[in-house]
Amino acid sequence: MASKKICAASALILSGALALSACGGGGDSSGGGGGGEDGTVMGFSQVGAESGWRTANSNSIQEAATAAGIDLKFSDAQQKQENQIKAIRTYIQQKVDAIAFSPVVETGWEPVLQEAKRANIPVILTDRAVDTTDDSLYATFLGSDFVEEGKKAGDWLVQNSATADTTGDGKINVVELQGTTGAAPAIDRAEGFRDSIASQSNIAITASQTGDFTRDGGKQVMESFLNSNRGQIDVVFAQNDDMGLGALQAIEAAGLVPGKDIKVITVDAVKDGMQALADGKIDFIVECNPLLGPQLMDLTEKVLNGEDVPKRVVTEETTFTPEQAKSVLADRQY
Ligand code: GYE
């Protein structure tokens, strides 16, 4: 009741077309909800809860929706594409005003995005990209440049190759813990990292396997790498902090000292990762910023208002050494 009243009130101050679409969910007996304080209903399909990054990202989106007065319908797909497709279809049926999602993998979205387009519901991609040639299927894409992140990781290794040869044989053998197979950050970080080390004949990726962006996954894959290549691994490139933290457990359990016997490079810079970096167990972290909520709400409002938005909005981010981690750790929000 209350939310319908607010929706009616906001209709007075909004232009005709938007007022209709903003209140579309509220008038629907199929359970679309009445809208937030500003009448807007957004359906958001999250990848899952696989990492510290993801938790920070979900919190940011939920808090920003509340702050913007947007009624957020939030669902967790548990890293399964079929669950995301189901959630998006439900949002279409509920006639939400906008749909946002972070696609678990890059491919296979065209049919459901076509359905959203036919229903005139704008889709905003956040965090991860979809692989499609038809960019009319989404309004904008907000998130990091993952190729760049992979490059930054590789560049650090190239610049620090003198100390990275921990086995002292003149070669730097890197093992890679990849993120979820088919996910944009896994594909792109791998590409950027390879681009960066390509010209270095002394650096080689000797093993690469997915740890699904989870701590457990990283630990298990690192255990198997250590079982088959013990004594030959100089560096671990973990495509996120959680897998890197799992790898640390495996390295220590094998009686080796991370940061000394094996150098560790990760991506994200969540608090646990930054702590391990400050402690000297991780050597370098490339930041990936999960606090996308405020920008996502802002872009959504603009799209619904019919304003022009850039097709791609890239998040700004930095990198951290142990010294830098020590100085920012106390103020780290996530
Ligand atoms: O790096 C990882 C998470 O898509 C950028 O997904 C995100 C990645 C992030 O599970 O920790």
Side-chain angles (χ1 to χ4, degrees), residues 4-318:
K4 273 201 187 127
K5 225 189 272 163
I6 292 163
C7 193
S10 69
L12 293 173
I13 52 163
L14 296 170
S15 69
L18 173 62
L20 277 178
S21 87
C23 297
D28 190 335
S29 59
S30 67
E37 285 159 42
D38 78 346
T40 301
V41 182
M42 177 198 270
F44 183 80
S45 170
Q46 181 60 290
V47 168
E50 74 281 5
S51 64
W53 190 100
R54 190 64 54 198
T55 305
N57 180 247
S58 293
N59 290 341
S60 169
I61 287 164
Q62 281 161 332
E63 283 163 21
T66 306
I70 290 176
D71 178 6
L72 184 74
K73 298 179 176 301
F74 184 96
S75 57
D76 171 342
Q78 301 181 323
Q79 301 231 71
K80 292 201 178 76
Q81 183 173 32
E82 70 208 66
N83 290 346
Q84 286 200 296
I85 291 174
K86 243 186 247 163
I88 294 169
R89 291 211 165 110
T90 304
Y91 296 144
I92 295 171
Q93 270 166 17
Q94 291 176 337
K95 299 187 167 61
V96 298
D97 301 304
I99 292 172
F101 78 116
S102 170
V104 59
V105 291
E106 279 190 345
T107 56
W109 299 102
E110 262 111 348
V112 74
L113 292 179
Q114 294 283 5
E115 289 166 36
K117 191 177 172 185
R118 277 198 296 275
N120 276 322
I121 301 175
V123 173
I124 291 131
L125 300 176
T126 174
D127 163 31
R128 298 184 181 177
V130 301
D131 183 2
T132 174
T133 47
D134 181 359
D135 71 1
S136 76
L137 292 176
Y138 61 92
T140 179
F141 166 36
L142 162 70
S144 310
D145 181 338
F146 300 131
V147 175
E148 193 53 36
E149 291 173 350
K151 273 204 184 106
K152 288 178 185 167
D155 289 351
W156 180 86
L157 181 57
V158 171
Q159 278 152 25
N160 291 273
S161 54
T163 51
D165 178 15
T166 59
T167 54
D169 60 359
K171 286 184 307 195
I172 299 171
N173 291 340
V174 183
V175 295
E176 181 182 52
L177 301 172
Q178 285 218 357
T180 303
T181 305
I187 296 168
D188 294 353
R189 287 173 186 162
E191 181 191 321
F193 187 77
R194 281 161 180 73
D195 281 357
S196 167
I197 62 168
S199 59
Q200 310 294 310
S201 56
N202 60 332
I203 304 179
I205 299 170
T206 52
S208 175
Q209 205 176 305
T210 179
D212 217 10
F213 281 130
T214 66
R215 219 171 267 216
D216 246 27
K219 181 168 177 265
Q220 280 172 32
V221 175
M222 193 62 205
E223 276 165 5
S224 80
F225 285 164
L226 285 164
N227 283 338
S228 45
N229 293 304
R230 206 197 151 96
Q232 286 157 23
I233 303 170
D234 297 285
V235 176
V236 180
F237 171 43
Q239 290 187 352
N240 80 340
D241 284 349
D242 282 83
M243 292 190 295
L245 291 162
L248 294 184
Q249 292 175 26
I251 293 169
E252 285 174 341
L256 297 168
V257 182
K260 182 172 163 280
D261 297 325
I262 297 181
K263 300 280 177 196
V264 182
I265 307 169
T266 68
V267 184
D268 275 356
V270 296
K271 212 164 194 155
D272 290 354
M274 293 290 270
Q275 184 63 60
L277 181 63
D279 294 344
K281 295 182 176 192
I282 293 179
D283 297 90
F284 188 64
I285 300 185
V286 177
E287 183 186 42
C288 180
N289 188 351
L291 305 181
L292 302 176
Q295 261 178 306
L296 174 61
M297 300 310 146
D298 192 49
L299 283 168
T300 302
E301 300 281 19
K302 286 190 171 134
V303 168
L304 290 173
N305 278 323
E307 289 172 44
D308 275 345
V309 294
K311 204 75 198 182
R312 177 77 171 102
V313 181
V314 181
T315 318
E316 275 184 36
E317 32 211 24
T318 184

